[in-house]
Coordinates of all heavy atoms in Angstrom, one line a residue:
M25 N 56.3 101.5 94.1 CA 57.3 100.8 93.1 C 58.6 100.5 93.7 O 59.2 99.5 93.5 CB 57.3 101.8 91.9 CG 58.2 101.4 90.8 SD 57.5 99.8 90.1 CE 57.9 100.1 88.3
R26 N 59.2 101.5 94.3 CA 60.5 101.4 95.0 C 60.5 100.1 96.0 O 61.4 99.3 96.1 CB 60.9 102.6 95.6 CG 61.6 103.6 94.6 CD 62.3 104.7 95.3 NE 62.8 105.5 94.3 CZ 62.4 106.8 94.1 NH1 61.4 107.3 94.9 NH2 62.9 107.6 93.2
E27 N 59.4 100.1 96.8 CA 59.2 99.1 97.8 C 59.2 97.8 97.1 O 59.8 96.8 97.6 CB 58.0 99.4 98.6 CG 57.7 98.3 99.7 CD 58.6 98.4 100.8 OE1 59.4 99.3 100.9 OE2 58.6 97.4 101.7
N28 N 58.4 97.6 96.1 CA 58.3 96.4 95.3 C 59.6 95.9 94.8 O 60.0 94.7 94.8 CB 57.3 96.5 94.2 CG 55.8 96.6 94.7 OD1 55.5 96.3 95.9 ND2 55.0 97.1 93.9
L29 N 60.4 96.8 94.2 CA 61.6 96.5 93.6 C 62.6 96.1 94.7 O 63.5 95.2 94.5 CB 62.2 97.8 92.9 CG 61.5 98.0 91.6 CD1 62.1 99.3 90.9 CD2 61.7 96.9 90.6
R30 N 62.6 96.8 95.9 CA 63.4 96.4 97.1 C 63.1 94.9 97.5 O 64.1 94.2 97.7 CB 63.2 97.4 98.3 CG 64.2 97.1 99.3 CD 63.8 98.1 100.5 NE 62.5 97.7 101.2 CZ 62.2 96.7 101.9 NH1 63.3 95.9 102.2 NH2 61.1 96.4 102.4
I31 N 61.9 94.6 97.5 CA 61.5 93.2 98.0 C 61.9 92.2 96.8 O 62.6 91.0 97.3 CB 60.1 93.1 98.1 CG1 59.6 93.9 99.3 CG2 59.6 91.7 98.2 CD1 58.1 94.1 99.5
V32 N 61.9 92.5 95.6 CA 62.4 91.6 94.5 C 63.9 91.3 94.8 O 64.3 90.1 94.5 CB 62.2 92.2 93.1 CG1 62.9 91.4 92.2 CG2 60.6 92.1 92.9
D33 N 64.6 92.2 95.1 CA 66.1 92.0 95.3 C 66.4 91.6 96.6 O 67.7 91.4 97.0 CB 66.8 93.5 95.0 CG 66.7 93.7 93.6 OD1 66.6 92.7 92.7 OD2 66.8 94.9 93.2
S34 N 65.5 91.4 97.5 CA 65.8 91.1 99.0 C 66.0 89.6 99.1 O 65.7 88.8 98.2 CB 64.7 91.5 99.9 OG 63.7 90.6 99.7
P35 N 66.7 89.2 100.2 CA 66.9 87.7 100.5 C 65.6 86.8 100.5 O 65.6 85.7 100.4 CB 67.6 87.7 101.8 CG 68.1 89.0 102.0 CD 67.2 89.9 101.2
I36 N 64.5 87.6 100.7 CA 63.3 86.8 100.9 C 62.6 86.6 99.5 O 61.5 85.9 99.4 CB 62.2 87.5 101.8 CG1 61.7 88.8 101.3 CG2 62.8 87.6 103.2 CD1 60.5 89.3 102.0
A37 N 63.2 87.1 98.5 CA 62.6 87.0 97.1 C 62.7 85.4 96.8 O 63.6 84.7 97.2 CB 63.5 87.8 96.2
L38 N 61.8 85.0 95.9 CA 61.7 83.6 95.5 C 62.9 83.3 94.7 O 63.4 84.0 93.8 CB 60.4 83.3 94.8 CG 59.1 83.6 95.5 CD1 58.0 83.4 94.7 CD2 59.0 82.7 96.8
S39 N 63.4 82.1 94.9 CA 64.6 81.5 94.2 C 64.0 80.9 92.9 O 62.9 80.7 92.7 CB 65.3 80.5 95.0 OG 64.5 79.4 95.1
A40 N 65.0 80.6 92.0 CA 64.6 79.9 90.8 C 63.9 78.6 91.1 O 63.0 78.2 90.4 CB 65.9 79.7 89.9
Q41 N 64.4 77.8 92.1 CA 63.8 76.6 92.5 C 62.3 76.8 93.0 O 61.4 76.1 92.6 CB 64.6 76.0 93.6 CG 64.2 74.6 94.1 CD 65.0 74.1 95.1 OE1 65.8 74.8 95.7 NE2 65.0 72.7 95.4
D42 N 62.0 78.0 93.7 CA 60.8 78.2 94.2 C 59.9 78.5 92.9 O 58.7 78.1 92.8 CB 60.8 79.5 95.0 CG 61.5 79.3 96.4 OD1 61.5 78.2 96.8 OD2 61.9 80.3 96.9
H43 N 60.4 79.3 91.9 CA 59.6 79.5 90.7 C 59.3 78.2 89.9 O 58.2 78.1 89.5 CB 60.3 80.6 89.9 CG 60.3 81.9 90.4 ND1 59.2 82.7 90.3 CD2 61.2 82.7 91.0 CE1 59.4 83.9 90.8 NE2 60.6 83.9 91.3
A44 N 60.2 77.3 89.9 CA 60.1 76.1 89.2 C 58.9 75.3 89.9 O 58.1 74.7 89.3 CB 61.4 75.4 89.1
L45 N 58.9 75.3 91.3 CA 57.9 74.6 92.0 C 56.5 75.2 91.8 O 55.6 74.5 91.6 CB 58.2 74.5 93.5 CG 57.2 73.9 94.4 CD1 57.1 72.3 94.0 CD2 57.7 73.9 95.9
I46 N 56.5 76.5 91.8 CA 55.2 77.2 91.6 C 54.7 76.9 90.2 O 53.5 76.6 89.9 CB 55.4 78.7 91.7 CG1 55.6 79.0 93.2 CG2 54.1 79.5 91.2 CD1 56.1 80.5 93.5
E47 N 55.5 76.8 89.2 CA 55.1 76.5 87.9 C 54.7 75.1 87.8 O 53.7 74.9 87.1 CB 56.3 76.7 86.9 CG 56.0 76.6 85.4 CD 55.2 77.8 84.9 OE1 55.1 78.8 85.5 OE2 54.6 77.4 83.8
E48 N 55.3 74.2 88.4 CA 54.9 72.8 88.4 C 53.5 72.7 89.1 O 52.7 71.9 88.6 CB 55.9 72.0 89.2 CG 55.6 70.5 89.2 CD 56.7 69.7 90.0 OE1 57.8 70.3 90.3 OE2 56.4 68.6 90.5
V49 N 53.3 73.3 90.2 CA 52.0 73.2 90.9 C 50.9 73.9 90.0 O 49.8 73.4 89.9 CB 52.0 73.9 92.2 CG1 50.6 74.1 92.8 CG2 52.9 73.1 93.2
K50 N 51.2 75.0 89.3 CA 50.3 75.7 88.4 C 49.9 74.8 87.3 O 48.6 74.5 87.0 CB 50.9 76.9 87.9 CG 49.9 77.8 87.0 CD 50.6 78.9 86.4 CE 51.3 78.4 85.1 NZ 51.9 79.5 84.3
N51 N 50.8 74.1 86.8 CA 50.6 73.2 85.6 C 49.8 72.0 86.1 O 48.8 71.5 85.2 CB 51.9 72.7 85.0 CG 52.6 73.8 84.2 OD1 52.0 74.8 83.8 ND2 54.0 73.6 84.1
F52 N 50.1 71.5 87.2 CA 49.2 70.4 87.8 C 47.7 70.8 87.9 O 46.8 70.1 87.5 CB 49.8 70.0 89.1 CG 49.0 68.9 89.8 CD1 49.3 67.6 89.4 CD2 48.0 69.1 90.8 CE1 48.5 66.6 90.1 CE2 47.3 68.2 91.4 CZ 47.6 66.9 91.0
Y53 N 47.5 71.9 88.4 CA 46.1 72.5 88.8 C 45.5 72.6 87.4 O 44.3 72.4 87.2 CB 46.1 73.6 89.6 CG 46.1 73.3 91.2 CD1 47.3 73.2 91.8 CD2 45.0 72.9 91.8 CE1 47.3 72.9 93.2 CE2 44.9 72.7 93.1 CZ 46.2 72.5 93.7 OH 46.1 72.2 95.1
Q54 N 46.1 73.3 86.5 CA 45.6 73.7 85.2 C 45.3 72.4 84.4 O 44.2 72.2 83.7 CB 46.5 74.5 84.3 CG 46.5 75.9 84.9 CD 47.4 76.9 84.0 OE1 48.3 76.4 83.3 NE2 47.1 78.2 84.0
A55 N 46.1 71.3 84.5 CA 45.8 70.1 83.8 C 44.6 69.4 84.4 O 43.8 68.6 83.6 CB 47.1 69.2 83.9
R56 N 44.3 69.6 85.6 CA 43.1 68.9 86.2 C 41.9 69.8 86.3 O 41.0 69.4 87.0 CB 43.6 68.4 87.6 CG 44.7 67.3 87.5 CD 45.0 66.8 88.8 NE 44.0 65.8 89.4 CZ 44.1 64.6 89.4 NH1 45.2 64.0 89.1 NH2 43.1 63.9 89.7
T57 N 41.9 70.9 85.7 CA 40.9 71.8 85.8 C 40.1 71.6 84.5 O 40.6 72.0 83.3 CB 41.2 73.3 85.9 OG1 41.9 73.5 87.2 CG2 40.0 74.3 85.9
R58 N 38.9 71.0 84.5 CA 38.2 70.6 83.4 C 37.6 71.8 82.6 O 37.5 71.9 81.4 CB 37.2 69.5 83.7 CG 36.5 68.9 82.6 CD 37.5 68.0 81.7 NE 38.2 67.0 82.4 CZ 38.0 65.8 82.7 NH1 36.8 65.4 82.3 NH2 38.7 64.9 83.3
V59 N 36.9 72.7 83.4 CA 36.3 73.8 82.8 C 36.8 75.1 83.4 O 36.8 75.3 84.5 CB 34.7 73.8 83.2 CG1 33.9 74.9 82.6 CG2 34.1 72.5 82.9
P60 N 37.4 75.9 82.5 CA 38.1 77.2 82.9 C 37.1 78.3 83.3 O 37.3 79.4 82.8 CB 39.0 77.5 81.8 CG 38.2 77.1 80.6 CD 37.5 75.8 81.0
C61 N 36.2 78.0 84.2 CA 35.2 79.0 84.5 C 35.8 79.9 85.7 O 36.5 79.4 86.6 CB 34.0 78.4 85.3 SG 32.8 79.5 86.0
T62 N 35.7 81.3 85.4 CA 36.4 82.3 86.4 C 35.4 82.6 87.5 O 35.7 83.4 88.3 CB 36.8 83.5 85.6 OG1 35.5 84.1 85.1 CG2 37.7 83.2 84.6
T63 N 34.1 82.1 87.5 CA 33.0 82.3 88.4 C 32.7 83.8 88.3 O 32.2 84.5 89.3 CB 33.3 82.0 89.9 OG1 34.4 82.8 90.4 CG2 33.6 80.5 90.0
C64 N 32.7 84.3 87.1 CA 32.3 85.8 86.9 C 30.9 86.1 87.1 O 30.5 87.2 87.4 CB 32.8 86.3 85.6 SG 31.8 85.6 84.2
G65 N 30.1 85.0 86.9 CA 28.7 85.2 87.1 C 27.9 85.8 86.0 O 26.7 86.1 86.0
Y66 N 28.6 86.0 84.9 CA 27.9 86.7 83.7 C 26.7 85.8 83.1 O 25.8 86.4 82.6 CB 29.0 86.9 82.5 CG 28.5 87.6 81.2 CD1 28.2 89.0 81.4 CD2 28.2 87.0 80.2 CE1 27.8 89.7 80.4 CE2 27.6 87.7 79.1 CZ 27.4 89.1 79.2 OH 27.0 89.8 78.1
C67 N 26.8 84.5 83.4 CA 25.8 83.5 82.8 C 24.7 83.5 83.8 O 23.6 82.6 83.5 CB 26.5 82.1 82.6 SG 27.2 81.5 84.1
M68 N 24.7 84.2 84.8 CA 23.6 84.1 85.9 C 22.7 85.3 85.7 O 23.1 86.4 85.2 CB 24.2 84.1 87.2 CG 24.9 82.8 87.6 SD 24.1 81.2 87.5 CE 23.1 81.4 88.9
P69 N 21.4 85.3 86.0 CA 20.7 84.0 86.5 C 20.4 83.1 85.4 O 20.1 83.4 84.3 CB 19.5 84.7 87.2 CG 19.1 85.8 86.4 CD 20.5 86.4 86.1
C70 N 20.5 81.8 85.7 CA 20.1 80.7 84.8 C 18.6 80.6 84.8 O 18.0 80.5 85.8 CB 20.8 79.4 85.3 SG 20.1 78.0 84.3
P71 N 18.0 80.6 83.6 CA 16.5 80.5 83.5 C 16.1 79.2 84.1 O 14.8 79.0 84.5 CB 16.2 80.7 82.1 CG 17.4 80.3 81.3 CD 18.6 80.6 82.3
S72 N 16.9 78.2 84.3 CA 16.4 76.8 84.8 C 16.9 76.7 86.3 O 16.7 75.6 86.9 CB 17.1 75.7 84.0 OG 16.6 75.8 82.6
G73 N 17.4 77.9 86.8 CA 17.6 77.8 88.2 C 19.0 77.1 88.6 O 19.3 76.8 89.8
V74 N 19.8 76.9 87.6 CA 21.1 76.1 87.9 C 22.1 77.2 88.4 O 22.3 78.3 87.7 CB 21.7 75.4 86.6 CG1 23.1 74.9 87.0 CG2 20.7 74.4 86.3
S75 N 22.8 76.9 89.5 CA 23.9 77.9 89.9 C 25.1 77.5 89.1 O 26.0 76.8 89.5 CB 24.1 77.7 91.4 OG 25.1 78.5 91.9
I76 N 25.2 78.0 87.9 CA 26.2 77.6 86.9 C 27.6 77.8 87.5 O 28.4 76.7 87.4 CB 26.0 78.3 85.6 CG1 24.7 77.9 85.1 CG2 27.1 78.0 84.7 CD1 24.2 78.8 83.8
P77 N 28.1 78.9 88.0 CA 29.4 79.0 88.4 C 29.7 78.0 89.5 O 30.9 77.4 89.7 CB 29.7 80.4 88.9 CG 28.4 81.2 88.4 CD 27.4 80.2 88.0
N78 N 28.9 77.8 90.5 CA 29.1 76.9 91.6 C 29.1 75.5 91.1 O 29.9 74.7 91.6 CB 28.1 77.1 92.6 CG 28.2 78.4 93.4 OD1 29.4 78.7 93.8 ND2 27.2 79.1 93.6
A79 N 28.2 75.2 90.1 CA 28.1 73.8 89.6 C 29.4 73.5 88.9 O 30.2 72.4 89.0 CB 27.0 73.6 88.7
L80 N 30.0 74.4 88.1 CA 31.3 74.2 87.4 C 32.4 74.1 88.4 O 33.4 73.3 88.2 CB 31.5 75.3 86.3 CG 30.5 75.3 85.2 CD1 30.8 76.5 84.2 CD2 30.5 74.0 84.5
T81 N 32.5 75.0 89.4 CA 33.5 74.9 90.5 C 33.5 73.4 91.1 O 34.6 72.8 91.2 CB 33.3 76.0 91.5 OG1 33.5 77.2 90.9 CG2 34.3 75.9 92.6
L82 N 32.4 73.0 91.5 CA 32.2 71.7 92.1 C 32.6 70.6 91.2 O 33.1 69.6 91.6 CB 30.8 71.6 92.7 CG 30.6 72.5 93.9 CD1 29.1 72.5 94.3 CD2 31.4 72.1 95.1
Y83 N 32.2 70.8 89.9 CA 32.6 69.7 88.9 C 34.1 69.7 88.8 O 34.7 68.6 88.8 CB 31.9 70.1 87.5 CG 32.3 69.2 86.4 CD1 32.0 67.9 86.5 CD2 33.2 69.7 85.4 CE1 32.4 67.1 85.4 CE2 33.6 68.9 84.3 CZ 33.2 67.5 84.4 OH 33.6 66.8 83.3
N84 N 34.8 70.8 88.7 CA 36.2 70.9 88.6 C 36.8 70.2 89.9 O 37.8 69.4 89.8 CB 36.7 72.3 88.5 CG 36.6 72.8 87.2 OD1 36.6 72.1 86.2 ND2 36.5 74.1 87.1
D85 N 36.3 70.4 91.0 CA 36.7 69.8 92.4 C 36.6 68.3 92.1 O 37.5 67.6 92.6 CB 35.9 70.3 93.5 CG 36.3 71.7 94.0 OD1 37.2 72.4 93.3 OD2 35.6 72.3 94.7
A86 N 35.4 67.8 91.7 CA 35.2 66.3 91.5 C 36.3 65.7 90.6 O 36.9 64.7 90.9 CB 33.8 66.1 91.1
V87 N 36.6 66.4 89.6 CA 37.6 65.9 88.7 C 39.0 65.9 89.3 O 39.8 65.0 89.2 CB 37.6 66.6 87.3 CG1 38.8 66.3 86.4 CG2 36.3 66.4 86.6
M88 N 39.3 67.2 89.9 CA 40.7 67.3 90.4 C 40.9 66.3 91.6 O 42.0 65.8 91.6 CB 40.8 68.7 91.0 CG 42.1 69.1 91.5 SD 42.4 70.7 91.9 CE 42.2 71.5 90.3
F89 N 40.0 66.1 92.4 CA 40.1 65.2 93.6 C 39.5 63.8 93.4 O 39.5 63.0 94.3 CB 39.6 66.0 94.8 CG 40.2 67.2 95.1 CD1 39.6 68.3 95.0 CD2 41.6 67.3 95.5 CE1 40.1 69.6 95.1 CE2 42.2 68.5 95.7 CZ 41.5 69.6 95.5
E90 N 39.2 63.4 92.1 CA 38.7 62.2 91.8 C 37.6 61.7 92.7 O 37.6 60.5 93.0 CB 39.8 61.3 91.6 CG 40.8 61.6 90.6 CD 42.0 60.8 90.6 OE1 42.2 59.8 91.4 OE2 43.0 61.1 89.7
S91 N 36.7 62.5 93.1 CA 35.6 62.1 93.8 C 34.5 63.1 93.7 O 34.7 64.3 93.8 CB 36.0 62.0 95.4 OG 34.9 61.8 96.2
R92 N 33.2 62.5 93.4 CA 32.2 63.4 93.3 C 31.2 63.5 94.5 O 30.2 64.2 94.6 CB 31.3 63.0 92.1 CG 30.8 61.7 92.0 CD 30.1 61.3 90.8 NE 28.9 62.2 90.6 CZ 27.6 61.8 90.8 NH1 27.3 60.6 91.0 NH2 26.6 62.6 90.6
I93 N 31.5 62.7 95.5 CA 30.6 62.6 96.7 C 30.5 63.9 97.3 O 29.4 64.5 97.5 CB 31.1 61.5 97.7 CG1 31.1 60.1 96.9 CG2 30.4 61.5 98.9 CD1 31.8 59.0 97.7
H94 N 31.7 64.5 97.8 CA 31.6 65.8 98.6 C 31.0 66.9 97.6 O 30.3 67.7 98.1 CB 33.0 66.1 99.0 CG 33.0 67.3 100.0 ND1 33.6 68.5 99.6 CD2 32.6 67.4 101.3 CE1 33.5 69.4 100.6 NE2 32.9 68.7 101.6
P95 N 31.6 67.1 96.5 CA 31.0 68.2 95.6 C 29.5 68.0 95.4 O 28.8 69.1 95.4 CB 31.8 68.1 94.3 CG 33.1 67.5 94.6 CD 32.8 66.5 95.8
A96 N 29.0 66.8 95.2 CA 27.6 66.7 95.0 C 26.8 67.1 96.2 O 25.7 67.6 96.2 CB 27.3 65.2 94.5
M97 N 27.3 66.7 97.4 CA 26.7 67.0 98.6 C 26.7 68.4 98.9 O 25.6 69.0 99.3 CB 27.5 66.3 99.8 CG 26.8 66.4 101.2 SD 27.8 65.7 102.4 CE 29.2 66.8 102.6
I98 N 27.7 69.1 98.5 CA 27.7 70.6 98.7 C 26.7 71.2 97.8 O 26.0 72.2 98.1 CB 29.2 71.1 98.4 CG1 30.2 70.6 99.5 CG2 29.2 72.7 98.3 CD1 30.0 71.2 100.8
Y99 N 26.7 70.8 96.6 CA 25.8 71.4 95.6 C 24.3 71.2 96.1 O 23.5 72.2 96.1 CB 25.9 70.8 94.3 CG 25.1 71.7 93.2 CD1 25.6 72.7 92.6 CD2 23.8 71.3 93.0 CE1 24.9 73.6 91.7 CE2 23.1 72.1 92.1 CZ 23.6 73.1 91.4 OH 22.9 73.9 90.6
D100 N 24.0 70.0 96.5 CA 22.6 69.7 96.9 C 22.2 70.5 98.2 O 21.2 71.0 98.2 CB 22.5 68.2 97.2 CG 22.4 67.4 96.1 OD1 22.3 67.8 94.9 OD2 22.8 66.1 96.2
Q101 N 23.2 70.7 99.1 CA 22.9 71.4 100.3 C 22.7 73.0 100.1 O 22.0 73.5 100.6 CB 23.8 71.1 101.3 CG 23.8 69.7 102.0 CD 24.6 69.4 103.2 OE1 25.7 70.2 103.4 NE2 24.3 68.5 103.9
F102 N 23.7 73.5 99.2 CA 23.7 75.0 99.1 C 23.2 75.5 97.8 O 22.8 76.7 97.8 CB 25.1 75.4 99.4 CG 25.7 75.0 100.8 CD1 26.6 74.0 101.0 CD2 25.2 75.8 101.9 CE1 27.0 73.6 102.2 CE2 25.7 75.4 103.1 CZ 26.7 74.4 103.3
F103 N 23.2 74.8 96.8 CA 22.9 75.4 95.5 C 21.8 74.7 94.7 O 21.3 75.3 93.8 CB 24.1 75.4 94.6 CG 25.3 76.1 95.4 CD1 26.5 75.4 95.7 CD2 25.3 77.5 95.8 CE1 27.5 75.9 96.4 CE2 26.4 78.0 96.5 CZ 27.5 77.2 96.7
G104 N 21.4 73.6 95.0 CA 20.5 72.9 94.3 C 19.1 73.4 94.4 O 18.2 73.0 93.6
Q105 N 18.8 74.2 95.4 CA 17.4 74.6 95.6 C 17.2 76.1 95.1 O 16.1 76.6 95.3 CB 17.1 74.6 97.1 CG 17.3 73.3 97.8 CD 16.4 72.1 97.0 OE1 15.3 72.4 96.7 NE2 17.1 71.0 96.8
E106 N 18.2 76.7 94.4 CA 18.0 78.0 94.0 C 17.1 78.2 92.8 O 16.9 77.2 92.1 CB 19.4 78.6 93.6 CG 20.3 78.8 94.8 CD 21.6 79.4 94.5 OE1 21.8 79.7 93.3 OE2 22.4 79.6 95.3
Ligands
LIG204 S1 30.4 79.9 83.0 FE1 29.4 81.8 83.8 S2 30.5 82.2 85.6 FE2 31.8 80.7 84.5 S3 33.2 82.0 83.2 FE3 31.4 81.5 82.0 S4 30.0 83.2 82.3 FE4 31.5 83.4 83.9

């Protein structure tokens, strides 16, 4: 605890500008994350063989980066045959 408090007060602690940038980046990613899946795996195994957490992660990637080519290829190669 003391060590953590010492770091917070040290010169390497994040500035208000750093916190603002982190908040901006967090908001950007949250706005572009379509499905808030935590990949906990509770929904697995899927009776239809769908790798649900991986499919949702790749779906989010496709939306975030505005391209489904790479996520679709990854799903087909690694998760489509489960
Ligand atoms: S979709 Fe499945 S892996 Fe994702 S948060 Fe829900 S239960 Fe967990």
Side-chain angles (χ1 to χ4, degrees):
M25 178 69 139
R26 285 195 176 106
E27 178 69 9
N28 289 343
L29 290 172
R30 188 184 63 75
I31 290 171
V32 167
D33 290 333
S34 76
I36 64 166
L38 298 178
S39 67
Q41 187 178 11
D42 295 331
H43 284 285
L45 178 60
I46 290 169
E47 187 69 18
E48 183 180 339
V49 170
K50 183 186 83 176
N51 291 338
F52 177 82
Y53 276 96
Q54 284 181 336
R56 296 184 74 111
T57 299
R58 190 64 54 89
V59 182
C61 173
T62 62
T63 67
C64 70
Y66 187 74
C67 57
M68 296 297 287
C70 170
S72 297
V74 175
S75 180
I76 297 169
N78 289 315
L80 294 177
T81 296
L82 292 167
Y83 174 68
N84 282 333
D85 287 350
V87 172
M88 184 170 297
F89 300 110
E90 299 177 355
S91 173
R92 62 181 297 252
I93 295 171
H94 186 254
M97 184 180 72
I98 295 292
Y99 190 87
D100 287 343
Q101 285 187 343
F102 295 104
F103 308 114
Q105 306 302 318
E106 291 180 5

